[in-house]
Amino acid sequence: MRSFWGLIRAYWFSDHWKEAWSLTIIIALLTALSSKTGVWFAEMSGELINSIAFYHDAANTTPLRSLLTSAGMLVLLVIIKDAGITGTKTYISATLHRKWRSWLDSRFNEALLDQNHTHFHAQNGGDVQAPDNIDQRIQESIKGMTGGAIGLAMGIMAVASSLFFVGQKLLSMSTEVHGLEMFGEYGSAVLALAAVAIYVPLNTYIAIRLGGLLERLSIRMQTAEGSYRGELTTFLRRSFHVAASRGEAAQKAMHERLYVDIDRTWARMNVVNAGYGSFERIYNFVGARIVAYGPGLVPFITNRVDLKGYITGAELVNALITQCSWFIHVMPAIASLRANSRRVIDLAEAIETVQEPRAFYQRSGHSDFHYGLQNPVFGLSIQGLELTHHGQDAAPFLSAERLRFKRGEWTFIKGESGCGKTSLIKAINGLWAYGRGTVVFPEGVKTFYAAQEVKLPPLSLKELVCLPEAPADYSDTQVAASLHKAGLGDFIEYLTDDNQKGKSWDQLLSGGQKQKLVVARILLQQPGLLFLDEATGALDPDGKIAFHQAIKDNCRDVTVISIMHEAVPPKAADGTNFYDSVLAIADGVAVKTALAPVLPAELTTILAHPENFEDRWKRLPRIRIRQK
């Protein structure tokens, strides 16, 4: 789907091809029937005009009956064509539009949300500019493109069928024309078709030039509106921070600056649209009143055709001009179609480009990461790791020759801000673009990455706790138990709700409660390898201890790699260490060292005062001693 025609025909050659072709064939048949009805309409228009012209003729013995019959048949044809045929075709084409758009939407969502993290790579790094406003491209651009393409296809069908049926009728009615004797009895048909062939293409060329300008303006308008809408959405998500910093004036100035581009582009589009509208109205008048009636005037003056034949021929030519002028009438829509398709194709190209992330990033920097699996007994191993930034000549800002995280080991990462702590965790998880190294994961062990900022999608509470797995994988009892252990027991009764009092869970829960929700996920899903990237930043000291203790008590043998703001790792309430080792990053080098074990405070007191040994020994069963 990286070209216009590839994108357009993909649905018809997909696994939904039966659905696509069935609807298309029905539309084609209805279009042909509509064109044939147009011929009947032209003939009946001639009958009506003829019955009016000869109403008082002595030879007309039933003038009123003839007039009413012709008028009634004309009205009946209008009802059949516009209400029956056109109405049915509109419904079928709208159904095709809906199904085609749904199919395309699902394909792009599947491509973006694959296991390769394509949505992430398409927007980060590389020498290819990331596509802006992906939400707009998937929704508005696909909708506009599919609708425009179906309309264009129906117009082409209408032109083809009209040329066949109307041309056939013109040929059957044709007569010799003075000055065109070389064409014999086809003289009037040749004259009519020549008038259409000259008038329509010439004006279509003008329309195409104007349409190209509209296409460029449409793309610019979509980009400007998408940027403005995106900033509005982002602003509403951070409205608290804007209010707290009294940043309304700066935010307003930003909105006004973004809207300027919309306003200027809109002004230019208004000028072009107004000019195109004037061109189209003049074209319609000349076509319907001059070009349509001109060719038949010569044989009518020379008595080659009567009034009925002249009117019928003029109506047929007018119908032909109308059908062949479809491109002119919808050129603004075609411009929008091309603009929308360009936006969708750009997104498809970006998705295709990042299917091999390493090759993609190697075009703009050094990227040579290797990921493998090993026996879980050996834990997580890292060798020859170097992290760099964008650029082929970028020097490493972080290196680690050899690191090993044993099963059940808790490691605390410390270092100054900007030293690369989060970059290290991203690289381990395949989310860092540039550098080199080998990362070997324990085979069959589930990993979990908990970031500092928690964004909750609009799902039910149970679905949020079960993410990224399916709610059906866990019972309500299991989810409720996890919430209780995480300190969110008050919300257990709302497991199936996706909001509370009109507010989503993302709006309702505080930052600390969201991080407790992450704890509930961990306790429920029991990962074997856990990455905590400042995942306790919104919790108070007691909350941080409870966070760690819940994991320690409920996730046996979990390997934890954690980043926190604190200079030293937190300890349990009884004074023991949660963490077994510290990974210090300084001067661009990561070095891992073991922490000395700390005895529980009660046991330390016993050893310090042996005279009270017997009394204190009785209380030892209440002391939690972790066995290693």
Side-chain angles (χ1 to χ4, degrees):
M1 296 193 291
R2 300 181 67 175
S3 66
F4 176 77
W5 290 113
L7 182 67
I8 293 298
R9 67 171 178 260
Y11 176 53
W12 278 261
F13 293 91
S14 69
D15 54 344
H16 288 207
W17 66 272
K18 292 182 179 179
E19 171 186 88
W21 283 107
S22 297
L23 294 171
T24 302
I25 291 172
I26 294 173
I27 292 171
L29 293 174
L30 289 172
T31 301
L33 184 57
S34 178
S35 297
K36 184 62 177 178
T37 308
V39 174
W40 297 335
F41 181 86
E43 292 177 334
M44 196 52 61
S45 295
E47 288 285 354
L48 179 61
I49 297 298
N50 190 66
S51 63
I52 294 174
F54 293 96
Y55 187 86
H56 297 291
D57 190 281
N60 191 354
T61 57
T62 57
L64 182 60
R65 180 181 177 182
S66 299
L67 178 63
L68 293 177
T69 300
S70 300
M73 290 298 296
L74 195 62
V75 171
L76 180 61
L77 281 173
V78 170
I79 294 174
I80 293 174
K81 180 182 179 183
D82 294 341
I85 300 173
T86 304
T88 303
K89 184 175 72 171
T90 299
Y91 173 75
I92 299 298
S93 63
T95 301
L96 177 61
H97 184 192
R98 176 174 60 85
K99 291 185 176 294
W100 184 16
R101 179 196 175 188
S102 175
W103 181 83
L104 265 181
D105 184 83
S106 65
R107 295 290 81 75
F108 274 96
N109 274 295
E110 287 180 8
L112 282 169
L113 299 170
D114 59 2
Q115 297 301 314
N116 192 42
H117 307 307
T118 294
H119 64 94
F120 173 79
H121 297 303
Q123 301 178 86
N124 295 275
D127 60 349
V128 179
Q129 184 177 1
D132 64 302
N133 308 307
I134 290 179
D135 61 329
Q136 182 193 53
R137 294 172 188 263
I138 291 180
Q139 288 301 305
E140 296 178 9
S141 296
I142 286 181
K143 180 181 179 181
M145 184 201 71
T146 50
I150 290 172
L152 176 63
M154 289 196 301
I156 294 173
M157 293 178 191
V159 170
S161 59
S162 198
L163 281 171
F164 176 78
F165 290 118
V166 175
Q168 187 182 54
K169 186 62 179 179
L170 282 173
L171 288 174
S172 68
M173 294 175 55
S174 184
T175 185
E176 186 177 334
V177 176
H178 179 69
L180 297 176
E181 288 82 359
M182 73 284 292
F183 296 108
E185 63 179 6
Y186 297 112
S188 63
V190 170
L191 189 61
L193 293 173
V196 175
I198 294 172
Y199 183 69
V200 175
L202 177 63
N203 287 277
T204 300
Y205 172 77
I206 298 172
I208 289 173
R209 297 301 299 269
L210 291 172
L213 180 57
L214 282 172
E215 177 187 350
R216 293 189 293 273
L217 290 173
S218 294
I219 293 176
R220 183 170 177 179
M221 189 71 165
Q222 287 186 4
T223 303
E225 286 187 330
S227 299
Y228 182 66
R229 184 185 64 186
E231 177 53 37
L232 280 175
T233 302
T234 304
F235 153 65
L236 292 173
R237 289 175 180 170
R238 64 168 189 262
S239 59
F240 168 76
H241 303 285
V242 174
S245 63
R246 300 183 184 275
E248 283 81 3
Q251 188 71 38
K252 182 171 67 173
M254 186 189 307
H255 290 175
E256 291 173 350
R257 186 167 61 251
L258 288 172
Y259 194 79
V260 165
D261 196 21
I262 296 177
D263 189 65
R264 290 175 179 172
T265 306
W266 198 352
R268 292 187 63 190
M269 289 186 71
N270 287 342
V271 172
V272 177
N273 280 321
Y276 195 92
S278 298
F279 158 75
E280 187 177 6
R281 285 189 292 273
I282 295 172
Y283 172 84
N284 290 340
F285 172 78
V286 174
R289 295 291 178 264
I290 298 176
V291 179
Y293 283 83
L297 192 60
V298 177
F300 177 71
I301 291 174
T302 57
N303 286 322
R304 293 286 185 178
V305 295
D306 56 11
L307 179 62
K308 174 184 175 181
Y310 173 54
I311 296 298
T312 302
E315 287 294 330
L316 287 171
V317 175
N318 186 33
L320 192 60
I321 291 175
T322 300
Q323 294 291 356
C324 293
S325 302
W326 183 87
F327 295 101
I328 295 175
H329 299 320
V330 300
M331 190 55 67
I334 294 176
S336 296
L337 164 63
R338 290 176 59 85
N340 284 318
S341 64
R342 183 68 262 168
R343 302 275 288 171
V344 178
I345 290 170
D346 286 346
L347 178 58
E349 289 177 344
I351 291 173
E352 290 289 335
T353 303
V354 301
Q355 289 307 297
E356 295 294 336
R358 188 168 64 172
F360 170 66
Y361 290 122
Q362 283 177 345
R363 295 163 55 178
S364 56
H366 188 72
S367 182
D368 192 24
F369 293 104
H370 300 272
Y371 297 90
L373 298 172
Q374 64 184 2
N375 192 302
V377 173
F378 300 107
L380 172 69
S381 301
I382 300 173
Q383 296 179 5
L385 184 69
E386 289 184 352
L387 303 185
T388 64
H389 291 295
H390 180 281
Q392 298 289 351
D393 300 325
F397 65 84
L398 175 62
S399 62
E401 184 58 32
R402 186 181 296 274
L403 295 173
R404 182 187 171 197
F405 303 90
K406 295 180 292 184
R407 182 170 62 178
E409 180 182 8
W410 286 44
T411 302
F412 179 82
I413 302 178
K414 72 174 185 178
E416 296 181 355
S417 296
C419 69
K421 299 187 296 294
T422 296
S423 301
L424 173 61
I425 289 185
K426 287 182 177 179
I428 294 173
N429 285 274
L431 299 175
W432 186 261
Y434 303 105
R436 70 178 183 88
T438 300
V439 181
V440 184
F441 286 89
E443 188 173 10
V445 172
K446 185 188 302 183
T447 63
F448 192 104
Y449 190 151
Q452 177 181 16
E453 189 175 12
V454 182
K455 295 290 186 182
L456 302 179
L459 301 172
S460 70
L461 183 58
K462 181 179 180 180
E463 289 174 311
L464 291 174
V465 178
C466 293
L467 279 177
E469 301 180 12
D473 295 341
Y474 302 97
S475 67
D476 290 354
T477 303
Q478 289 175 300
V479 176
S482 298
L483 285 170
H484 177 73
K485 293 175 183 178
L488 296 175
D490 292 342
F491 297 102
I492 290 175
E493 60 182 301
Y494 306 112
L495 279 183
T496 59
D497 297 345
D498 57 8
N499 67 82
Q500 280 290 300
K501 299 179 180 178
K503 290 186 176 182
S504 67
W505 291 108
D506 192 58
Q507 296 172 310
L508 185 69
L509 298 180
S510 67
Q513 288 174 321
K514 290 178 183 178
Q515 292 187 331
K516 290 180 180 180
L517 182 64
V518 172
V519 177
R521 288 180 185 168
I522 296 169
L523 303 185
L524 178 68
Q525 299 176 32
Q526 293 290 305
L529 184 56
L530 177 60
F531 298 92
L532 302 177
D533 187 0
E534 298 184 7
T536 59
L539 297 172
D540 58 24
D542 290 339
K544 293 177 181 179
I545 293 175
F547 182 103
H548 286 78
Q549 194 66 58
I551 297 173
K552 181 72 73 174
D553 293 341
N554 295 279
C555 299
R556 186 178 180 182
D557 291 333
V558 62
T559 302
V560 178
I561 301 174
S562 174
I563 299 172
M564 296 179 67
H565 288 300
E566 286 74 10
V568 295
K571 296 181 180 181
D574 60 8
T576 57
N577 283 332
F578 286 120
Y579 290 89
D580 306 296
S581 57
V582 172
L583 180 64
I585 300 176
D587 299 325
V589 179
V591 178
K592 183 169 172 284
T593 57
L595 277 173
V598 177
L599 294 174
E602 186 69 21
L603 184 57
T604 303
T605 303
I606 292 175
L607 296 176
H609 301 280
E611 66 276 9
N612 298 325
F613 177 81
E614 183 176 356
D615 179 58
R616 293 181 177 275
W617 178 258
K618 296 177 181 179
R619 297 204 300 270
L620 277 180
R622 294 198 298 270
I623 300 175
R624 292 188 298 267
I625 301 177
R626 184 167 64 90
Q627 297 179 351
K628 295 192 64 177

